[in-house]
Amino acid sequence: MRRAVFLFLITIFISIIFMFNLISCTKDNKIPITTSSKVALDNYLKGRDLFDKLQAQEALQYFRNAIAADSDFAVAYLNLSFTVPSAKEFFEQFDKAVALSEKVSEGEKLWIKGVEAGVNGFPMKQRDYYEMLVKKYPNDERAFNLLGTNFFAQQEWAEAIAAYKKATTINPDFSQPYNQLGYAYRFLEKFEEAETAFKKYIELIPKDPNPYDSYAELLMKTGKFQESIDQYNKALTFNPNFVASHIGIATNLNFLSKHEEARAQLKKLEAIARNDGERRAAWFAMTISFVDEGNTDKALETLQWQMESNKKINDPTAMAGNLNIIGNVLLESGQVQEAINQFNKAMEILEQSDRSEEVKDNFRRGHLFNLAYAALKQADFKMAKTKAEEYAKQAKEINNPNLIRASHQLNGMMALEQKEFNTAIDELLQSSQQNPYNLYRLALAYEGRGDKDNAGLYLKKTENFNSLNDINYAFVRKMMHK
């Protein structure tokens, strides 16, 4: 064999061994990472570490670098999709991950398919993929973290806690599950356990902003608004660009009836924003501040800013989302026909887009909900019932727990409008209790039934809901403070 040929074959052999090590390294039975480039892998791991700590903007460039070094790096595209600033680019990057999913390890494939199922509105199908993932990789903390997040998203807090605890048992230094544990306990109103989880999170990564940001949100929830602001400011000492903390400070100021100060804080965020996504986040928080203050015209103006921003990059998903929020603001202010026009325009934009049929189906279901709500506002109970029944049918067909809760919400709203208070209570108790508007509706239903004790209980729950940057809470607060 000639030397040149030998060197060529040796090079190929070494490359194959190197690629095999990167693809199939399952030490301790972890999900493999498929890439042919050490440079790509190094950048991916740096980006993943930052993304674990919820520093998406900081992680973004590392994922881009990983893809530049290996254009077939499926999970780098997947993670990049989570960090980009627009819905349009999310789908661009996510579609590349899906296209490459047949070329990766079984673990990565299950992860990508799970995300795809979630994007398409099939959370129980996603759960199936993640349960297969933890069965195949029982010593991978990230697999259990993914499963926990599926339970979390369906408001199955106890199951989420069990999965997150499994992740922390496998790797006590993996910080992300402690964050989610804190929130799961918070939703169960186990505030001491939530505080313990967040303090452990701080202990693990004391020089990162998100642990202080999460603890600040717990303080906000319990009504300690100034203490919450202090923690948000502490988070900003570690990263002055940490978007969530600016929004958290503004939310606390809204609750303190300091709306102008809240928007001044958001103007600071707008001024230092590193991309349009961060600017849109500031604008949406301004929308909520104006709704909370009762200034509908200004709220609609800020939504229009967001609409124009998304129109410039031709982002149909985001534009449709903007129009649906505009429709809801109009609906709450009594401008029902104009709201319907916005809902219809949103659906038209999506139908004409190149989004998948599954994504369009998600919007179609949301459109049914919006039209049912609008019909209720017009006291057209026949139309509302027709739309609500179709919505409930579709929610059950795809076995989506959150949509099933929303169908109970529609039924409860219809019963409340028709003064069928017992039915309203039964339906609303099966709706999402993480929507403060439903708690307020329950207060009204109990009041209508003459049950003053429960009416007072749910009114207090509504008043003390104290949720971050929540437009439904802003709607309710505006009504309660009239």
Side-chain angles (χ1 to χ4, degrees):
M1 184 180 288
R2 286 179 299 181
R3 187 171 184 272
V5 174
F6 176 76
L7 289 174
F8 174 75
L9 292 175
I10 287 293
T11 301
I12 293 296
F13 181 69
I14 291 170
S15 297
I16 290 170
I17 292 174
F18 180 64
M19 188 183 296
F20 181 82
N21 284 337
L22 288 175
I23 292 173
S24 302
C25 177
T26 56
K27 183 182 178 183
D28 299 325
N29 203 15
K30 305 291 187 184
I31 299 168
I33 301 171
T34 303
T35 178
S36 58
S37 165
K38 186 177 185 305
V39 171
L41 180 62
D42 288 345
N43 275 280
Y44 172 78
L45 292 175
K46 288 174 183 175
R48 188 180 72 173
D49 181 62
L50 286 164
F51 186 68
D52 282 347
K53 297 169 183 175
L54 302 190
Q55 299 200 57
Q57 181 61 29
E58 290 75 12
L60 184 150
Q61 192 55 53
Y62 286 106
F63 294 136
R64 290 200 191 280
N65 291 344
I67 290 163
D70 178 3
S71 60
D72 290 331
F73 199 166
V75 294
Y77 286 110
L78 179 65
N79 280 269
L80 179 59
S81 75
F82 301 147
T83 63
V84 291
S86 71
K88 179 183 180 182
E89 194 173 357
F90 165 82
F91 282 106
E92 289 171 354
Q93 303 303 331
F94 179 66
D95 288 347
K96 291 174 185 175
V98 172
L100 290 164
S101 63
E102 297 300 323
K103 300 180 180 180
V104 298
S105 68
E106 183 64 16
E108 292 164 297
K109 185 176 179 179
L110 289 169
W111 181 15
I112 293 168
K113 283 187 170 292
V115 176
E116 184 179 32
V119 168
N120 291 336
F122 301 111
M124 305 315 286
K125 186 176 180 182
Q126 180 186 74
R127 183 173 300 175
D128 289 341
Y129 286 124
Y130 290 166
E131 286 180 337
M132 285 188 274
L133 194 64
V134 299
K135 186 176 181 180
K136 189 171 182 65
Y137 303 98
N139 293 318
D140 194 312
E141 61 273 24
R142 294 175 186 279
F144 280 95
N145 196 54
L146 286 169
L147 179 60
T149 300
N150 174 275
F151 286 123
F152 187 97
Q154 305 316 310
Q155 301 184 21
E156 297 176 43
W157 313 121
E159 292 82 357
I161 288 167
Y164 291 135
K165 282 188 172 181
K166 179 65 176 176
T168 62
T169 300
I170 294 169
N171 183 356
D173 294 327
F174 183 38
S175 64
Q176 197 175 99
Y178 292 101
N179 186 42
Q180 293 302 107
L181 273 170
Y183 281 102
Y185 281 124
R186 197 200 80 177
F187 286 127
L188 288 170
E189 297 185 2
K190 295 184 176 181
F191 297 130
E192 288 186 12
E193 290 91 335
E195 184 172 14
T196 298
F198 287 137
K199 287 188 172 178
K200 177 63 176 178
Y201 187 32
I202 291 169
E203 179 187 321
L204 285 172
I205 48 174
K207 295 184 179 180
D208 282 273
N210 196 62
Y212 303 97
D213 181 278
S214 296
Y215 183 45
E217 196 172 341
L218 176 64
L219 292 168
M220 177 198 297
K221 181 70 175 179
T222 55
K224 299 173 182 177
F225 302 131
Q226 187 54 57
E227 291 177 51
S228 175
I229 290 171
D230 293 342
Q231 289 296 314
Y232 281 126
N233 277 320
K234 188 167 185 178
L236 292 173
T237 65
F238 295 104
N239 183 349
N241 290 90
F242 201 65
V243 172
S245 292
H246 288 282
I247 292 172
I249 291 169
T251 303
N252 277 296
L253 291 168
N254 288 335
F255 295 159
L256 292 167
S257 300
K258 298 179 179 180
H259 295 91
E260 288 189 9
E261 288 183 39
R263 293 189 289 272
Q265 182 72 35
L266 296 169
K267 285 287 184 182
K268 289 181 188 176
L269 173 57
E270 181 186 22
I272 64 171
R274 294 163 291 184
N275 55 55
D276 284 344
E278 293 184 350
R279 273 182 282 278
R280 285 190 289 269
W283 293 340
F284 183 63
M286 287 184 202
T287 300
I288 291 174
S289 181
F290 281 122
V291 170
D292 191 82
E293 191 179 34
N295 192 334
T296 299
D297 289 343
K298 279 290 186 180
L300 291 169
E301 184 181 312
T302 56
L303 284 166
Q304 195 59 44
W305 296 347
Q306 295 162 67
M307 180 70 181
E308 293 303 317
S309 174
N310 288 316
K311 191 182 291 185
K312 284 179 185 176
I313 59 171
N314 190 27
D315 188 337
T317 314
M319 289 162 63
N322 294 148
L323 288 167
N324 280 330
I325 297 169
I326 290 170
N328 275 285
V329 172
L330 290 166
L331 207 57
E332 293 298 326
S333 65
Q335 301 175 65
V336 181
Q337 188 54 55
E338 185 53 35
I340 293 170
N341 294 341
Q342 299 300 313
F343 294 145
N344 288 336
K345 189 175 178 182
M347 196 66 249
E348 182 181 342
I349 287 173
L350 245 293
E351 293 288 8
Q352 293 174 357
S353 76
D354 61 355
R355 294 278 77 86
S356 70
E357 280 303 304
E358 291 85 356
V359 170
K360 288 179 181 179
D361 280 342
N362 264 336
F363 272 84
R364 289 166 187 147
R365 287 186 283 269
H367 191 53
L368 277 172
F369 184 97
N370 288 334
L371 293 182
Y373 193 5
L376 271 180
K377 290 284 188 179
Q378 293 176 318
D380 187 345
F381 299 118
K382 183 178 179 181
M383 176 64 74
K385 185 178 180 182
T386 299
K387 298 292 184 186
E389 286 176 348
E390 180 59 28
Y391 182 84
K393 176 186 172 185
Q394 293 188 24
K396 289 175 183 175
E397 282 176 353
I398 66 169
N399 192 22
N400 186 315
N402 284 326
L403 299 191
I404 291 169
R405 289 189 192 94
S407 72
H408 285 295
Q409 176 182 324
L410 279 175
N411 292 338
M413 290 157 63
M414 282 191 291
L416 184 60
E417 287 294 322
Q418 296 176 89
K419 302 187 185 308
E420 298 170 0
F421 299 119
N422 287 332
T423 301
I425 291 165
D426 181 58
E427 292 287 348
L428 289 168
L429 285 172
Q430 297 177 75
S431 70
S432 174
Q433 304 301 288
Q434 298 308 317
N435 180 347
Y437 214 145
N438 288 337
L439 302 181
Y440 182 64
R441 293 180 180 115
L442 275 164
L444 296 179
Y446 278 116
E447 183 180 34
R449 194 172 75 175
D451 185 341
K452 291 183 179 179
D453 289 342
N454 273 312
L457 173 66
Y458 276 93
L459 198 60
K460 187 175 181 180
K461 280 179 175 282
T462 308
E463 287 175 333
N464 296 333
F465 199 76
N466 299 334
S467 49
L468 178 68
N469 210 39
D470 183 339
I471 198 162
N472 280 317
Y473 193 42
F475 289 145
V476 171
R477 277 172 49 84
K478 184 177 73 169
M479 288 186 289
M480 293 176 70
H481 295 161
K482 278 184 179 178

